[in-house]
Amino acid sequence: MTKKYVTTAIPYVNGLPHIGHAMDYCLADVYARYQRLIGNEVRFQTGTDEHGNKIFQKAKDLGIPVEEYVAGNAEKFREFIETLGVSSTDFIRTTDPEHERRVQEIWKRLSDHIYAASYEGWYCTGCERFVTEKECVENHGVCPDHNKEYEKLAEENYYFRIADFKDRIYRAIEADEILILPEFRKREILKLLADSPDVSISRPKSQLSWGVPVPGDDSQVMYVWLDALANYITVLGYPDQDISEWWPASVEVVGKDILRFHAIIWPAMLMALGLPLPKVLLSHGMVLSNGQKMSKSIGNVVDPMEVLEKHGLDAFRYFFLRHIDTFADSDFTWEKFEDAYNNELANDLGNLVQRFAALSKKNGIVAPNAARELSAGYCELMDNFEFSKAFDFVWEKVQGLNRKIDEEKPWSLVKTGETEKLNLVMKELIVELLNVSEMLKPFIPDTAEKIDEIFTDPIAPPETPLFVKQ
Ligand code: MSP
């Protein structure tokens, strides 16, 4: 048994959980469940990123004390994680006093690479990111992700000397010591790294009061990303505890929009701390809505709770893990969702289970007691983090079973009274179905559990179909 540590990006709490956040959670959950299925022990972090201007401003606009505002929204994220069936073991809030104290310790340990300097340039509050002059000019002064003008800043800051680590980070990424997935993003990051300046890691308190105080300088608070990235190790107890049991992470799941922070600043921090780098950075694509980025102003935001309430958890997980590609941007439309629900979940899988169980019950077929097997092709895809492809692989097996039952026509054996042959055919089909159910466990765990229950003695079809056609 090996120990595996999986992490997710911690969302800002300036709004409610949305479909995009679900991607991080579902992908990390598939990994965690798969690892447990093959016998490994898993620690799985989730949490919330609660500092920074964006959040402070939102609370102020709403007239709510910021502590109260972040606590309320953090709770919503915790509930969302539970609703999605995410099997995380830890939940960290960056306002946890323990986290804040540990980040201050981390700051002190980075101090050989920190210097004070003045900053004059651009900042995007949406991204909570300092923007170079070149980028500002290229984007005509407006952040393309947030549709908001960059702010001009002129302030005294502390800087983290990325230059001290650039070459080592470059080599580590190039040699896949830190494996960036998908492959083409690795090249993007290597290009970006070459031009990466030192990063500002604090803001004057006069500009931003909602942050972790910089140790030894009352006039500054930490830059939100430094504080946030550290969560992956503070949650394990660093620096108070030895974290080598879990660290380095086996995989860190992030959206492509925040890969640069995880592939440049984070490795530099870890190198400065003398800690190993995460093994894999899995950067997933964006969920689009009718082909466009989801945005409140366009009015195309899909509410995850609406999907969950209408069709249930496993339908949600099914769509987002199979029809939303693990790496590429993919589109959500209600039409696609409902097609997948009716044609695939209800028809391919629901009907199959119903038919097998009804035929078994009627003919007194006994549940076979065979060891479960995961196909080698499935394991290879799962081991390579190709989750949506692995799900396709399992679905081909589901469709294969539908074809098989149509070809073998076990009901004709009932008519001809060939009981022994019927037993043999059904037993084989059920063993295959139970293997499918095993492979479905990381993706749609509740349905897989139900299938297992249906095919234990005495086999009986479910009282209501697994998926009611809409
Ligand atoms: N707080 C930072 C992360 C700090 S991690 C140390 C942040 N928060 S976020 O709320 O903006 O995003 C959280 C995660 O949700 C990121 O991985 C981001 O890529 C993901 N998504 C947000 N919108 C998304 C889509 N529309 N589609 C898919 N994922 C996207 O960044």
Side-chain angles (χ1 to χ4, degrees):
M1 184 166 67
T2 326
K3 288 187 190 293
K4 302 279 181 179
Y5 178 42
V6 51
T7 72
T8 52
I10 49 173
Y12 295 120
V13 288
N14 61 325
L16 295 178
H18 62 70
I19 295 276
H21 304 130
M23 274 321 283
D24 274 13
Y25 297 144
C26 288
L27 292 171
D29 191 51
V30 167
Y31 176 84
R33 286 178 187 267
Y34 170 67
Q35 290 304 327
R36 293 191 195 103
L37 195 65
I38 59 174
N40 291 327
E41 197 184 334
V42 176
R43 185 129 177 210
F44 179 178
Q45 157 281 14
T46 50
T48 39
D49 188 355
E50 304 188 7
H51 290 122
N53 249 342
K54 183 158 66 172
I55 291 165
F56 186 74
Q57 198 52 48
K58 186 73 187 278
K60 209 168 146 198
D61 292 348
L62 294 169
I64 305 174
V66 65
E67 292 83 357
E68 203 178 292
Y69 177 67
V70 295
N73 277 356
E75 201 41 45
K76 300 257 165 52
F77 275 92
R78 206 196 284 270
E79 284 164 18
F80 186 55
I81 286 167
E82 226 180 280
T83 312
L84 284 179
V86 174
S87 60
S88 56
T89 55
D90 296 80
F91 186 89
I92 180 167
R93 297 179 53 195
T94 54
T95 52
D96 286 342
E98 277 295 79
H99 168 79
E100 294 190 355
R101 189 180 56 72
R102 287 175 177 155
V103 178
Q104 288 180 318
E105 277 308 310
I106 290 174
W107 177 287
K108 289 184 205 158
R109 290 178 186 215
L110 298 178
S111 61
D112 282 353
H113 308 277
I114 294 177
Y115 60 93
S118 51
Y119 176 76
E120 213 185 313
W122 305 100
Y123 191 80
C124 170
T125 317
C127 304
E128 296 286 14
R129 186 163 76 81
F130 297 88
V131 177
T132 59
E133 186 63 37
K134 187 171 158 228
E135 209 179 337
C136 181
V137 171
E138 272 169 13
N139 294 330
H140 309 290
V142 179
C143 170
D145 286 339
H146 296 94
N147 233 341
K148 242 175 104 180
E149 275 185 25
Y150 295 127
E151 279 171 52
K152 181 96 192 182
L153 300 185
E155 53 187 44
E156 278 299 309
N157 293 349
Y158 285 104
Y159 278 81
F160 181 40
R161 209 179 291 111
I162 293 284
D164 291 349
F165 305 100
K166 254 187 183 177
D167 291 347
R168 273 175 67 196
I169 299 174
Y170 196 96
R171 286 197 301 271
I173 294 177
E174 205 176 29
D176 294 339
E177 214 180 286
I178 176 168
L179 177 66
I180 295 182
L181 294 175
E183 170 78 22
F184 70 89
R185 297 243 173 263
K186 166 178 160 180
R187 287 189 292 276
E188 275 175 18
I189 288 293
L190 288 176
K191 228 171 115 202
L192 208 62
L193 183 65
D195 293 334
S196 271
D198 289 348
V199 283
S200 169
I201 50 166
S202 73
R203 305 285 317 270
K205 245 189 198 159
S206 53
Q207 300 299 315
L208 168 69
S209 55
W210 185 237
V212 182
V214 166
D217 186 342
D218 280 349
S219 70
Q220 299 266 324
V221 298
M222 287 183 205
Y223 171 45
V224 63
W225 270 99
L226 190 91
D227 156 22
L229 288 163
N231 94 87
Y232 300 127
I233 51 175
T234 61
V235 73
L236 299 177
Y238 186 86
D240 308 329
Q241 288 161 33
D242 174 10
I243 58 168
S244 57
E245 191 186 357
W246 296 104
W247 190 262
S250 306
V251 61
E252 303 210 286
V253 178
V254 299
K256 67 174 191 187
D257 54 332
I258 58 167
L259 177 63
R260 59 166 74 200
F261 301 95
H262 287 80
I264 300 175
I265 306 180
W266 183 220
M269 285 169 70
L270 290 166
M271 283 175 179
L273 296 170
L275 290 172
L277 304 179
K279 293 192 177 135
V280 176
L281 276 178
L282 187 162
S283 91
H284 60 80
M286 295 290 119
V287 185
L288 308 173
S289 167
N290 285 307
Q292 278 179 302
K293 187 175 181 263
M294 278 185 224
S295 122
K296 279 188 199 134
S297 52
I298 303 175
N300 63 349
V301 177
V302 180
D303 177 6
M305 295 318 284
E306 192 186 342
V307 182
L308 284 161
E309 275 157 25
K310 256 193 182 158
H311 295 284
L313 174 58
D314 275 0
F316 184 100
R317 292 180 62 112
Y318 176 79
F319 188 83
F320 285 98
L321 289 166
R322 180 154 184 243
H323 290 290
I324 300 288
D325 187 275
T326 305
F327 298 117
D329 291 353
S330 313
D331 204 22
F332 174 96
T333 65
W334 278 104
E335 202 186 345
K336 280 189 197 168
F337 184 91
E338 270 148 21
D339 268 4
Y341 181 89
N342 287 322
N343 298 332
E344 297 161 18
L345 280 173
N347 271 359
D348 291 349
L349 184 64
N351 279 353
L352 179 78
V353 168
Q354 199 77 23
R355 282 165 92 191
F356 274 30
L359 204 63
S360 303
K361 185 179 177 191
K362 210 162 150 202
N363 297 287
I365 310 281
V366 178
N369 189 16
R372 303 293 178 92
E373 276 175 25
L374 305 175
S375 306
Y378 166 85
C379 291
E380 198 185 324
L381 290 166
M382 293 296 266
D383 293 339
N384 289 329
F385 303 91
E386 294 275 6
F387 300 138
S388 51
K389 289 208 174 91
F391 208 167
D392 284 344
F393 180 99
V394 186
W395 216 259
E396 274 163 31
K397 299 241 169 235
V398 170
Q399 288 165 335
L401 275 172
N402 274 305
R403 278 194 301 276
K404 249 188 191 167
I405 196 168
D406 286 341
E407 280 158 21
E408 302 208 7
K409 300 187 177 53
W411 48 88
S412 63
L413 299 172
V414 178
K415 276 193 204 140
T416 53
E418 293 170 84
T419 327
E420 216 168 290
K421 192 157 177 215
L422 174 72
N423 258 316
L424 217 69
V425 168
M426 283 310 293
K427 190 177 160 189
E428 227 172 78
L429 290 173
I430 294 171
V431 168
E432 273 189 56
L433 178 62
L434 290 176
N435 285 338
V436 162
S437 159
E438 200 70 0
M439 292 189 272
L440 286 175
K441 278 182 184 158
F443 297 102
I444 44 173
D446 292 351
T447 304
E449 278 305 319
K450 278 189 205 151
I451 297 175
D452 283 2
E453 268 165 40
I454 292 167
F455 291 95
T456 44
D457 277 328
I459 299 178
E463 276 163 24
T464 48
L466 290 184
F467 299 95
V468 180
K469 257 188 145 177
Q470 311 268 316

